[in-house]
Amino acid sequence: MSFYINFTPDLIVESPGRINLIGEHTDYNLGYVLPTAIDKKITLKLRKNNSADCNVYSLDNEKNITFSLNNISPSTESWENYILGVLHEIQQLTDKLEGFDCVLSSTLPIGSGLSSSAALECGLAFGLNELFDLGLSKTQIVHLSRAAEHNYVGTKCGIMDQYASVMSKSGYVIKLDCRSLASEYIPLNLGDYKLLLLNTNISHSLADSAYNTRLQECLTGVEAIKVLYPYIASLRDVDQKMLTAVKGTISTTVYDRCNYIIEENERVLKASDALTQGDLTSFGNLMYGSHDGLQHKYEVSCPELDFMVAYSRAKDFILGSRMMGGGFGGCTINLIHKDAIEDYISEIASAYKSKFNIELDAYIAMPAHGTMLKTL
């Protein structure tokens, strides 16, 4: 059924991707992060169809999924599980969901570390909440979207991506405590500097990568630390002294993973202070420190990402650079002077092409509003 031809929606939702300025892999360890939504987004056009059937069509990959709300179960097509998972979770909360048609389009590059999955999950949940007056709060939308990723996609992600996608405000970054969900909006005043994303165009799938392995390694460290400190619940509660005390009882790998998380949480707090004080030099140095930890201790980087970060270090117009996202590909985020952007993109694109024979993509990414309705 070509329902998407001449499609007239009842409502339109715009759901953004996100960047994370610093604080990588700390969210599922209940630590601190510093994300914000960006102006690249997924657009969902939705309408009721007065049945129990659902039709979702993606304009970008020309794929269609049709199913009944009476028979929601995981699919062998991975992209479908982001949709099916959201519907499954909504059905645990309400029986008011009915059949609908949805057409998707996106300006978010898939696999770039900009969290297109959370944008899709949150956008669909937000839109269905509005379409059928489900009465779900924004916090419920955040939690059910993450549950969809856990239970249907298989990625045991933290709360950051979904929270940033829904809760962001234009012009601000969110200092988010992933344990309590206490948050603080920090104005992002970068002066003559911009945030430049450079996409390696090396794609990763978190569910199939070492993401869940890193989670398990962190949990192994927590269990070892609890022998001496029984009140510890996560690496969020652990300091360097505690980790050193159990160093002889855990592998070097587990020690390095835990050490990185402890240091990264400290970097987020320092980075928040630096941004508040307008100290961009210190903030940039913390970005480089984050990448070093991700490369050498958490080991989720890759040669393409490392090349781009290393290339930036000799440029006095770049204050900081780091890999961003789950790792093994995706983007670097660079704090760069606005006057140097055009020439630098040309220069590093040429160097990257020479080194890896891959074209890179570049985007300016500044804070934007979270998931919202678009006026028809």
Side-chain angles (χ1 to χ4, degrees):
M1 179 177 67
S2 300
F3 72 90
Y4 49 86
I5 298 174
N6 299 321
F7 186 83
T8 303
D10 295 332
L11 58 81
I12 301 174
V13 174
E14 293 183 333
S15 190
R18 65 98 190 97
I19 55 173
N20 184 29
L21 275 69
I22 197 165
E24 218 64 79
H25 290 273
T26 48
D27 60 341
Y28 56 82
N29 286 291
L30 305 185
Y32 297 100
V33 290
L34 201 65
T36 180
I38 59 172
D39 57 0
K40 293 191 177 296
K41 66 197 72 172
I42 292 177
T43 299
L44 304 93
K45 297 180 178 181
L46 293 142
R47 71 181 179 196
K48 300 177 181 178
N49 63 21
N50 302 310
S51 74
D53 295 328
C54 306
N55 304 286
V56 180
Y57 181 75
S58 170
L59 290 173
D60 300 292
N61 58 18
E62 299 182 339
K63 289 186 177 180
N64 181 59
I65 173 176
T66 299
F67 53 90
S68 169
L69 287 173
N70 299 321
N71 186 28
I72 300 292
S73 61
S75 170
T76 56
E77 289 285 334
S78 59
W79 79 277
E80 296 180 358
N81 285 321
Y82 295 105
I83 296 164
L84 296 167
V86 166
L87 299 178
H88 171 80
E89 298 300 331
I90 289 176
Q91 287 180 326
Q92 309 310 302
L93 300 173
T94 176
D95 60 1
K96 294 170 66 175
L97 192 61
E98 299 175 21
F100 64 91
D101 300 328
C102 176
V103 176
L104 306 171
S105 60
S106 178
T107 57
L108 271 172
I110 305 300
S112 60
L114 301 181
S115 199
S116 55
S117 58
L120 175 56
E121 293 154 356
C122 295
L124 182 60
F126 187 97
L128 294 175
N129 186 49
E130 296 288 334
L131 189 64
F132 295 109
D133 193 22
L134 302 181
L136 302 175
S137 68
K138 284 189 174 182
T139 300
Q140 284 178 300
I141 289 171
V142 169
H143 281 286
L144 77 86
S145 297
R146 181 179 67 157
E149 189 134 349
H150 281 209
N151 298 329
Y152 266 55
V153 181
T155 302
K156 304 300 183 183
C157 60
I159 201 75
M160 174 182 68
D161 294 350
Q162 291 80 12
Y163 194 96
S165 189
V166 173
M167 301 293 194
S168 289
K169 294 186 349 184
S170 181
Y172 294 81
V173 293
I174 305 171
K175 177 186 174 183
L176 176 63
D177 180 337
C178 294
R179 179 170 62 186
S180 67
L181 292 192
S183 63
E184 176 184 353
Y185 290 96
I186 299 176
L188 189 62
N189 298 316
L190 298 181
D192 289 334
Y193 286 82
K194 300 285 188 181
L195 295 173
L196 172 66
L197 304 182
L198 297 174
N199 190 354
T200 61
N201 285 317
I202 301 295
S203 189
H204 66 273
S205 172
L206 293 184
D208 297 328
S209 73
Y211 188 105
N212 291 339
T213 302
R214 293 301 181 278
L215 170 60
Q216 188 55 55
E217 287 164 345
C218 291
L219 294 175
T220 298
V222 169
E223 289 305 309
I225 294 164
K226 286 173 73 171
V227 174
L228 294 181
Y229 305 95
Y231 56 89
I232 292 300
S234 73
L235 286 177
R236 162 64 179 278
D237 305 313
V238 178
D239 59 27
Q240 198 63 53
K241 182 180 177 181
M242 294 175 181
L243 181 60
T244 300
V246 302
K247 188 173 183 180
T249 68
I250 57 178
S251 69
T252 301
T253 296
V254 168
Y255 176 85
D256 284 345
R257 305 296 190 250
C258 296
N259 187 28
Y260 162 76
I261 295 297
I262 293 168
E263 292 177 346
E264 186 76 345
N265 277 322
E266 293 173 354
R267 279 190 286 265
V268 175
L269 298 179
K270 290 177 181 177
S272 300
D273 291 341
L275 284 180
T276 300
Q277 296 161 11
D279 185 354
L280 297 184
T281 299
S282 293
F283 179 77
N285 288 333
L286 290 163
M287 291 175 71
Y288 280 125
S290 175
H291 185 82
D292 290 342
L294 288 159
Q295 179 181 354
H296 299 296
K297 294 182 179 180
Y298 218 63
E299 296 184 286
V300 291
S301 190
C302 65
E304 294 84 2
L305 288 166
D306 296 338
F307 173 83
M308 288 207 281
V309 172
Y311 196 91
S312 76
R313 290 183 189 262
K315 308 298 182 182
D316 57 8
F317 50 80
I318 295 180
L319 299 183
S321 178
R322 58 180 286 271
M323 62 150 277
M324 188 186 69
F328 312 105
C331 291
T332 64
I333 179 171
N334 304 268
L335 184 58
I336 183 172
H337 195 280
K338 63 181 183 181
D339 295 340
I341 291 173
E342 188 174 338
D343 287 344
Y344 184 67
I345 290 173
S346 177
E347 178 184 340
I348 193 170
S350 177
Y352 185 70
K353 173 74 170 178
S354 296
K355 177 73 172 178
F356 298 103
N357 197 31
I358 301 170
E359 303 286 348
L360 66 75
D361 293 319
Y363 326 97
I364 298 296
M366 299 301 281
H369 200 280
T371 304
M372 60 190 299
L373 288 178
K374 181 180 179 181
T375 304
L376 290 172

